[in-house]
Amino acid sequence: MSIARFWRETPRRYNLGGSRCLNCTNVYFPPRAVCPSCTAHRQSLGKMEPFQLSGEGEVISYTIVHDPAEGFEMQVPYALALVRTPEGPVLTGQVVDISPEEVRIGLTVRATFRKLREEGKAGVIHYGYKFTPSQAAPSPDRRGAVAESVAEPTATGNAAT
Amino acid sequence: MRDVAILGVGMTKFGELWDRSFRELGIEAGFQALVDAKLSSKDLGALYLGNMASGSLIEQEHIAPLLVDYAGLSGHHLPAIRVEAGGASGAVALHQGYLAVASGAYDFVVVGGAEKLTDVPDVTANRITGATADQEWESVFGATLPGLWALMARRHMYDFGTTREQLAQVPVHMHEMGSRNPNAHYRNKITLEQVLSAGPVAEPLGVFDCAPLSDGAAAVVLGPLDRARKFTDTPVQIRASVVTSDTMALHHRTSFTRLDSTIVAAKRAFAQARRRLTDVNVAEIHDAYSISALLALEDIGFSEKGAAGRELAEGKFALGGTPTVNSSGGLKAQGRPFGAVGVAQAVEIVRQLRGEAKERQVSGAQLGLAHDVGGTGATSVVHLFERAN
């Protein structure tokens, strides 16, 4: 990956800078130029303002990766999770500073700035967010910690109608 | 719009075909389909070719005219068009071919799908196939394609009580089917114990929960239904052809235990075909990972939400089941040459509807469904095929 390609995303990958639609107040990460929730998309054009995520979140699903993505060979096995933030967006990232076996759905986490991967010995070093536990791991039977019940779409389209 | 029929089908063996090139594979499948359709190549209007990543995999772009050229047809100056939609490239190419004939723009077209995955090391192939997810906001953070599907699997287990053993029944089912398919990458049957004891890829998914990297090609010839009897006694009509899309990244979905793109595609397909779910006799579904198959069964509607794991383990979708699912062996056993998959699904359904599927034939099969997915569901495709009477 070229240096510019990674560098231009640093405000988001380093500082969790997202965006909020002034029309409907929904928050997006990474930032979007157009709000997918507003009925008429063009209403949101020019009305997406920068919005800072807090970095707090809760694990809503996870896996332990053994067959890694390129550049992550030295990190296996690693826990990869979907993390729902209190502001709304869900992020994909690693959960570290905890044994992968102890990661659970419902674990509360906080984003932290870490090295993601290196492009070989002489290549670019990529930095960005990973997640660390912000409390002791919950018991494994903490079912229903995050409500994921949402209506299914219809044949004519999705919820944004 | 005209009714469209499939007049001929062809496919290569799928597998690690070290001695065969991309060109050879594509041409073999294409000529099989043309011969099967008894169509002269001078009557062809266009070629649509599904392919995911030839530029990365064989360092060759511009492959649609390449295949026309090596098929000896360059003198016809056919339109030769490549179609890309990740793992659903072949299915979307079929959609394009269907539209071309239905609209009247062309009378006869070849739809091909071809992929050569074994000319690069596995680790490179995994990186390239992983690019069908969001490179900037998933892959950069360590996500792999099986890893993203594993996130869906874990949440499905959490929400619906799906077990590791139920997931493991998926590849057992697919290998059982594949054992009857001479073109399959894997023809060996496997046991639940083998699946459970295999090395982990992305927990809870192990090596046997993931479809292989295969080489292969498939092709179909399409034409107007009202002229189909001139070419074949057993035309198969495309009753519905639906492509849908969704967010690129998994984390932007409203649910992680279903693919809305598939739910909508299936609903639209049955409405387009004026057929019911219960009319389907044979289905080829996207089973790239064990969880993919369970989500597909639920999203299309063959199983109630959360019940697919139990019902598949109970044998509901075995040969002669309601419906028979992946008689070809699916992506897991027949193989996964990405761009060829969607076309190969159509080939299998046509063989079933014509009564030519030999030892895996579902007797009296009348209506068939094919379902394919790109990435983690940013593209879904559903086709319905019916034997024309």
Side-chain angles (χ1 to χ4, degrees):
Chain A
M1 204 180 280
S2 75
I3 292 171
R5 184 175 168 188
F6 205 83
W7 161 81
R8 76 173 77 98
E9 298 298 345
T10 50
R12 275 72 79 176
R13 295 216 182 100
Y14 287 16
N15 295 322
L16 293 172
S19 64
R20 180 167 62 180
C21 173
L22 287 176
N23 214 39
C24 71
T25 73
N26 276 0
V27 175
Y28 298 98
F29 183 89
R32 287 176 182 260
V34 181
C35 175
S37 297
C38 286
T39 312
H41 288 187
R42 278 168 291 183
Q43 287 177 0
S44 65
L45 277 178
K47 293 183 184 170
M48 303 297 285
E49 63 169 11
F51 185 88
Q52 181 67 45
L53 296 187
S54 65
E56 303 295 327
E58 184 167 348
V59 171
I60 57 174
S61 193
Y62 66 96
T63 176
I64 303 174
V65 176
H66 295 262
D67 191 6
E70 216 166 31
F72 291 84
E73 292 85 353
M74 301 294 282
Q75 301 176 40
V76 290
Y78 57 87
L80 183 81
L82 291 170
V83 174
R84 186 180 293 286
T85 64
E87 296 86 2
V90 177
L91 279 60
T92 301
Q94 288 189 47
V95 183
V96 295
D97 296 353
I98 181 175
S99 165
E101 291 75 27
E102 291 176 24
V103 175
R104 292 283 179 270
I105 291 173
L107 180 72
T108 56
V109 292
R110 180 177 294 132
T112 181
F113 181 73
R114 294 289 169 93
K115 182 162 86 177
L116 297 176
R117 64 178 177 187
E118 297 176 22
E119 290 181 355
K121 282 201 161 107
V124 177
I125 301 174
H126 297 169
Y127 293 90
Y129 50 83
K130 293 184 179 180
F131 295 93
T132 58
S134 52
Q135 58 156 48
S139 60
D141 59 354
R142 202 179 149 209
R143 265 186 69 111
V146 182
E148 291 298 323
S149 167
V150 278
E152 288 194 358
T154 64
T156 49
N158 219 317
T161 49
Chain B
M1 296 274 269
R2 291 191 292 187
D3 290 333
V4 178
I6 297 182
L7 310 179
V9 299
M11 70 178 280
T12 68
K13 182 176 167 44
F14 284 4
E16 295 182 351
L17 310 175
W18 307 104
D19 57 334
R20 311 208 59 200
S21 70
F22 178 85
R23 298 171 201 215
E24 287 173 17
L25 292 170
I27 291 159
E28 181 189 325
F31 272 116
Q32 272 188 34
L34 282 172
V35 168
D36 187 42
K38 303 181 187 70
L39 184 77
S40 166
S41 51
K42 69 174 167 47
D43 294 326
L44 272 182
L47 166 80
Y48 291 88
L49 178 63
N51 174 269
M52 178 185 65
S54 67
S56 307
L57 290 164
I58 57 170
E59 297 179 357
Q60 177 71 61
E61 308 286 16
H62 212 176
I63 51 173
L66 176 86
L67 288 192
V68 172
D69 177 10
Y70 275 77
L73 304 176
S74 56
H76 294 309
H77 306 295
L78 289 175
I81 301 160
R82 173 182 170 182
V83 179
E84 192 273 316
S89 298
V92 178
L94 181 57
H95 179 69
Q96 295 306 115
Y98 164 83
L99 291 179
V101 176
S103 69
Y106 306 118
D107 284 333
F108 301 100
V109 304
V110 172
V111 176
E115 207 80 53
K116 180 74 187 171
L117 280 154
T118 64
D119 276 355
V120 293
D122 283 3
V123 64
T124 308
N126 283 335
R127 173 173 58 75
I128 293 164
T129 59
T132 59
D134 189 333
Q135 287 284 61
E136 303 285 355
W137 302 103
E138 295 181 314
S139 311
V140 156
F141 296 94
T144 59
L145 204 50
L148 292 167
W149 284 94
L151 293 169
M152 293 188 247
R154 180 73 70 191
R155 188 73 207 191
H156 200 272
M157 296 166 86
Y158 183 82
D159 284 347
F160 302 107
T162 298
T163 65
R164 175 70 188 96
E165 287 72 22
Q166 287 169 347
L167 283 169
Q169 287 288 355
V170 173
V172 173
H173 171 104
M174 299 307 161
H175 278 245
E176 169 68 35
M177 293 292 196
S179 71
R180 301 160 185 265
N181 179 358
N183 286 327
H185 187 152
Y186 295 121
R187 299 197 64 193
N188 59 314
K189 296 180 188 180
I190 57 173
T191 65
L192 192 64
E193 290 68 34
Q194 282 177 290
V195 180
L196 293 173
S197 61
V201 173
E203 296 182 44
L205 305 177
V207 171
F208 279 103
D209 293 284
C210 304
L213 300 166
S214 316
D215 305 325
V220 297
V221 173
L222 308 184
L225 180 65
D226 59 12
R227 291 167 68 179
R229 296 280 177 193
K230 289 180 191 168
F231 299 94
T232 173
D233 295 332
T234 53
V236 168
Q237 184 183 354
I238 301 180
R239 296 288 316 209
S241 176
V242 178
V243 178
T244 56
S245 58
D246 202 349
T247 67
M248 186 68 183
L250 176 66
H251 56 230
H252 286 139
R253 311 271 168 81
T254 51
S255 167
F256 306 108
T257 54
R258 64 173 202 242
L259 301 188
D260 286 352
S261 55
T262 294
I263 291 173
V264 173
K267 282 181 175 160
R268 288 179 184 166
F270 283 105
Q272 186 180 336
R274 297 191 180 84
R275 292 290 181 272
R276 289 172 307 182
L277 190 71
T278 48
D279 296 333
V280 174
N281 308 112
V282 287
E284 291 285 310
I285 63 165
H286 176 259
D287 64 315
Y289 307 95
S290 296
I291 185 62
S292 321
L294 300 188
L295 294 190
L297 292 170
E298 294 171 359
D299 293 341
I300 295 164
F302 294 134
S303 287
E304 294 289 317
K305 190 70 215 165
R310 177 177 54 77
E311 292 187 343
L312 184 130
E314 288 169 359
K316 181 181 176 186
F317 306 113
L319 211 57
T322 51
T324 299
V325 169
N326 288 10
S327 58
S328 69
L331 283 66
K332 175 67 195 78
Q334 179 169 254
R336 192 188 191 191
F338 282 70
V341 166
V343 183
Q345 289 178 325
V347 172
E348 176 69 11
I349 296 292
V350 168
R351 286 184 172 150
Q352 285 286 357
L353 299 182
R354 285 175 171 180
E356 296 172 354
K358 300 198 171 78
E359 55 180 312
R360 60 184 192 284
Q361 180 64 44
V362 175
S363 73
Q366 187 74 25
L367 187 72
L369 177 149
H371 160 253
D372 205 7
V373 169
T376 57
T379 297
S380 282
V381 187
V382 172
H383 280 95
L384 285 169
F385 308 95
E386 191 170 50
R387 192 168 59 192
N389 289 311

